[in-house]
Amino acid sequence: QHEADPQNQLLAQALERARAEGGYLLNQAGKAAPRLYPRESGVSAFNALILALHSDRGGYHTNLYTPYPGAKQRGESVQTGEKGVPFIWYRWNEYRSKADEGRTITKKEYDQLPPEQKEQYSPVRDRQIRTLFNIEQTTLPLTDPEAFAKAVKEYGALEDRSPRDDKQTRIDVNLLLGKLSENLVPIRKDGTGLAHWDSAKDVVHLPAQKHYPDYASYVQDALRQVVTATGHPGRMDRPGTAVEGMREPAEGLRSRERLVVELASAVKMNQLGLPARLSPESLPLVEGWKKSIEETPGFLSHVEANVNKALSLIDKAERGQKVEMRPIEVKEEKP
C-alpha cells in the first residue's frame, strides 16, 4: 500500500485539477494511448490511466514508458532527479486448492494437471508494483534523437503526430459503438437531448451529436452510459449500479460507481486519441473521491478492479464477442 501511495496522490491531484480547470481530466493534448517502449505493447486499463495522468502532469510528448532495466539494456539511463510512476504488475505463479486452502501448487505443476483436476484449484494473484519512466525521463532524446522523434510522430499529441484524417476517428467511433450495441447493450437514438441508460429495458439512449458542445463530449457521454450498463446485475453486478425495481445503492456506493464510470470512460477515450473530461454532474463529487482515495484503505483497489473489468467487457464486445447476460440472483434482505 505504501508503494502505491504515489498512484493515489496522482489521481487525487488530477481530480482536483479537473475540478479547477473546466473538467478536463485526461489527455487534453490528444496523445495516443500509453504503451511500453520499445515493444509498443499495451497495458491494462488502470495502469494506462495512471501512466497517462503522469505523462500529462509531466508535460511529456508521449505516453510511452519503460522500466529502468530496459533503458539500461538499450544503453540509456534515467536522467538525474527524475522520479518514476508506480506500475501494478500481477503474477499468477501459484494455485490454491479449493478444498484445502493450505495447499498450493506451482504454475508448472498446475499446467501438468488434467482438466478435471485443474477445476479443483484457483489462481493466487501476486500483486507487485514496479516503477516505470516516461521515455523523456531517460537519455533517449539525447542518445537516439531519431528514435525519439519517430516515437513522438507516431504516439505523440495531435499536433506532433502524423496527419490523421478526423473522418477516420469518427469511423473508428462509429464502428466501436456499433459493436457495443450489437454485443453488449443496445444503443438507440434519443430525441430528448439527455443520454441515459434505461436499466429496466437495458438500453442506452444517446442524443444526436448536435446536443453536445464538441465531438469528444458526445463520444464520452456514450461511453459513460455503456460503462454504467456493464454494472448490471446480469453482467458485473457492481453494488453501486442503480437498477430500476431493485434496492437503491447507498450513497457511498453510488459515488464510487460514478468514479468507476468516469475513469473507465476516460481510459477508452485515450485509446481513441481523444481528451476526457469529468461530467458536470461528477464535479461536486471530487472532494468526496479525494477523501476516500487518501483516507479509505482499499478504496482505490476496488475502483481499479472495476475499471479493469468494465473495460475488459467492452473490449470483448469490440472484438465481436457477445457478452451474455447471467440470470439475476435475488439477494434476500437480512432481518
Side-chain angles (χ1 to χ4, degrees):
Q1 182 62 47
H2 174 71
E3 291 175 324
D5 282 346
Q7 281 193 336
N8 299 9
Q9 296 169 11
L10 190 61
L11 179 55
Q13 291 168 2
L15 290 169
E16 180 56 43
R17 284 197 304 273
R19 181 172 63 173
E21 298 176 5
Y24 276 108
L25 175 67
L26 188 70
N27 198 33
Q28 192 168 354
K31 289 176 278 191
R35 294 176 181 272
L36 297 180
Y37 182 86
R39 291 180 297 167
E40 299 177 355
S41 56
V43 298
S44 67
F46 197 79
N47 274 327
L49 171 71
I50 296 300
L51 295 182
L53 290 175
H54 182 264
S55 177
D56 284 354
R57 188 179 68 178
Y60 303 126
H61 287 80
T62 73
N63 287 327
L64 297 177
Y65 279 78
T66 181
Y68 172 76
K72 187 176 181 181
Q73 288 177 359
R74 297 190 301 273
E76 305 156 16
S77 62
V78 174
Q79 297 185 41
T80 304
E82 294 290 347
K83 293 183 178 180
V85 59
F87 182 84
I88 300 172
W89 186 271
Y90 293 107
R91 300 180 64 185
W92 310 84
N93 288 337
E94 289 188 332
Y95 288 77
R96 178 176 289 116
S97 169
K98 295 178 181 179
D100 180 6
E101 293 189 357
R103 171 174 167 73
T104 60
I105 60 175
T106 65
K107 186 178 186 303
K108 183 177 180 180
E109 292 172 327
Y110 175 82
D111 290 339
Q112 294 173 349
L113 294 176
E116 61 273 12
Q117 291 188 28
K118 285 184 177 180
E119 295 180 1
Q120 300 173 19
Y121 289 85
S122 56
V124 178
R125 186 176 71 168
D126 179 18
R127 187 175 189 265
Q128 301 180 352
I129 296 182
R130 301 182 180 181
T131 301
L132 297 185
F133 296 88
N134 190 280
I135 60 173
E136 278 183 74
Q137 294 180 284
T138 73
T139 57
L140 175 67
L142 302 174
T143 59
D144 196 343
E146 289 186 6
F148 177 69
K150 180 181 177 182
V152 172
K153 187 175 181 180
E154 189 167 357
Y155 296 104
L158 285 176
E159 64 181 15
D160 297 322
R161 267 188 276 168
S162 302
R164 187 173 190 270
D165 193 342
D166 182 59
K167 290 182 180 179
Q168 186 58 52
T169 297
R170 293 171 183 261
I171 290 172
D172 292 344
V173 169
N174 289 338
L175 288 173
L176 169 63
L177 296 182
K179 289 289 187 181
L180 297 181
S181 182
E182 179 182 354
N183 298 311
L184 181 58
V185 58
I187 302 175
R188 298 175 183 169
K189 294 182 180 180
D190 183 88
T192 66
L194 179 66
H196 64 283
W197 170 56
D198 184 337
S199 62
K201 297 180 180 179
D202 190 32
V203 173
V204 166
H205 294 272
L206 184 64
Q209 184 190 331
K210 66 180 182 180
H211 293 282
Y212 293 88
D214 52 63
Y215 184 65
S217 297
Y218 163 75
V219 176
Q220 190 172 6
D221 216 9
L223 292 173
R224 287 191 188 100
Q225 308 313 316
V226 173
V227 173
T228 301
T230 65
H232 188 285
R235 295 189 182 99
M236 287 179 58
D237 194 18
R238 289 197 300 270
T241 304
V243 177
E244 187 175 334
M246 301 185 72
R247 186 178 181 181
E248 188 73 13
E251 182 178 353
L253 293 176
R254 293 200 308 271
S255 176
R256 189 175 72 184
E257 167 66 12
R258 191 67 193 176
L259 180 58
V260 169
V261 168
E262 292 289 1
L263 297 184
S265 65
V267 172
K268 197 63 186 176
M269 290 289 285
N270 195 177
Q271 290 179 7
L272 294 166
L274 294 171
R277 304 176 66 168
L278 295 180
S279 66
E281 297 78 15
S282 291
L283 291 177
L285 302 176
V286 166
E287 193 59 40
W289 289 340
K290 286 176 53 189
K291 185 175 182 180
S292 295
I293 290 169
E294 295 166 351
E295 300 178 6
T296 305
F299 176 83
L300 204 54
S301 294
H302 284 288
V303 172
E304 173 201 341
N306 284 320
V307 167
N308 285 338
K309 290 177 182 177
L311 284 172
S312 178
L313 284 187
I314 289 174
D315 290 344
K316 179 180 179 180
E318 187 177 1
R319 292 193 302 268
Q321 298 176 308
K322 190 76 173 178
V323 178
E324 301 291 347
M325 292 279 281
R326 301 187 305 269
I328 299 175
E329 179 183 350
V330 179
K331 300 176 182 179
E332 296 184 0
E333 296 284 342
K334 292 184 179 181

